[in-house]
Amino acid sequence: AELMACFLKPVFNDPKFPKISAEVNRLKNTEGGLNTMCEFSRMLVAEGRAEGKVEGKKEGKLSLCDELVKKGVLTVKEASGYMGISEEEFKRKVKELEKEPVTV
């Protein structure tokens, strides 16, 4: 916990962690360090967006399959096969989806 605190402070200089202190200060206070951190942040945001799109598509597909099961168009076996998961996993994921709060 003590070590992690160094990343949250704008200026960090702890004799217990001299190498980390120097690197944190370099990343936070030099043009090269700031550019590195900005690029890293952009990469994390891009990865998060890509992951969100994939998860959104999976949830949409799951929701559609669940609706088709409820309407009697598909069986649970057919829906889970379409999703590429077991029937038990399909049922579990549908329950999880139903518990999630709806955000607009």
Side-chain angles (χ1 to χ4, degrees):
E2 214 177 320
L3 179 59
M4 291 305 293
C6 71
F7 298 104
L8 302 175
K9 296 178 182 175
V11 177
F12 181 76
N13 190 9
D14 190 324
K16 289 183 189 177
F17 312 110
K19 290 181 181 179
I20 292 175
S21 294
E23 186 62 11
V24 168
N25 286 319
R26 184 189 73 78
L27 290 170
K28 290 187 175 192
N29 300 311
T30 67
E31 188 174 333
L34 291 173
N35 288 339
T36 299
M37 293 307 293
C38 287
E39 188 57 38
F40 182 70
S41 295
R42 282 188 208 102
M43 182 189 71
L44 287 177
V45 168
E47 285 180 9
R49 285 184 177 149
E51 186 177 314
K53 287 179 183 178
V54 169
E55 288 303 311
K57 286 180 182 178
K58 286 180 185 176
E59 284 185 10
K61 190 175 176 182
L62 178 66
S63 182
L64 174 62
C65 285
D66 181 44
E67 285 300 314
L68 292 173
V69 168
K70 287 177 181 173
K71 291 182 180 192
V73 176
L74 291 177
T75 65
V76 171
K77 183 176 183 174
E78 291 168 333
S80 63
Y82 178 68
M83 294 288 301
I85 57 179
S86 69
E87 291 179 48
E88 293 77 25
E89 188 175 358
F90 177 81
K91 291 175 186 176
R92 181 182 56 75
K93 286 182 180 264
V94 166
K95 282 183 184 177
E96 288 173 8
L97 187 64
E98 290 171 351
K99 290 180 185 177
E100 289 181 14
V102 176
T103 56
V104 179

